[in-house]
Amino acid sequence: MGDKQGFRFHGGRPSVNFTATVGMRWRDGGFERLTDPAALGRWCTEAGLTPADPACSAADLAAARELREAVYRLLRTQLGDDPAQAEDIATVNRWAAHPPPVSALHLTPAGLRARPVPATVPSLLGLIAADAVAVLGGDEAARLRECANPECSLLFLDTSRAGARRWCSMSACGSREKMQRYRSAVR
Ligand SMILES: [Zn+2]
């Protein structure tokens, strides 16, 4: 798995990180990181939403991408883009109403124990959408930023006290800019 294929988790919240499964959005269509249903399952696990990759169908992947783009467009409204569309709000609300992953009781020799029921993709999309509702509808929305690297385009919540964070990741985009400034200074 190349670096480009790796998922990005610099957004500060699952719903913001989910929009980072498209990279380089300044390119037409961007760079799709959820290339197949299995990639969606891997993302859910790497995002910490579930302990094991859920089984994903092609329909799950299509639904996930639809939710992701609705969340992305709504996040962008915080950056001064077009006003929120009713259709996007409805998509997020529909998924946010979906029951989240659950646990079930098991009787073990040591007594009753709760164990997670293997998560379904719809239950995980419910988690992501509920997170989007909390982010977009709360005070944190004002903390939304786009990475200052024009080639990057990832969104993140700036939770720094000064509110002056510019990069999705200092080690990726931040250090790259420092290197470019250094090179042009040397020249
Ligand atoms: Zn960046």
Side-chain angles (χ1 to χ4, degrees), residues 21-106:
T21 56
V22 174
M24 301 180 176
R25 284 180 181 268
W26 50 271
R27 262 188 205 166
D28 190 28
F31 176 83
E32 178 63 77
R33 291 190 168 101
L34 299 181
T35 48
D36 55 21
L40 173 61
R42 277 201 309 280
W43 186 88
C44 290
T45 308
E46 288 187 31
L49 301 183
T50 174
D53 292 10
C56 294
S57 66
D60 289 333
L61 179 58
R65 286 176 176 161
E66 185 193 25
L67 171 64
R68 177 188 65 193
E69 295 312 299
V71 170
Y72 180 72
R73 285 188 293 268
L74 291 173
L75 289 171
R76 293 235 33 133
T77 65
Q78 296 297 322
L79 300 171
D81 276 21
D82 299 339
Q85 299 296 306
E87 198 183 324
D88 290 337
I89 296 172
T91 299
V92 169
N93 284 344
R94 189 171 71 245
W95 282 108
H98 208 282
V102 292
S103 293
L105 281 176
H106 291 262

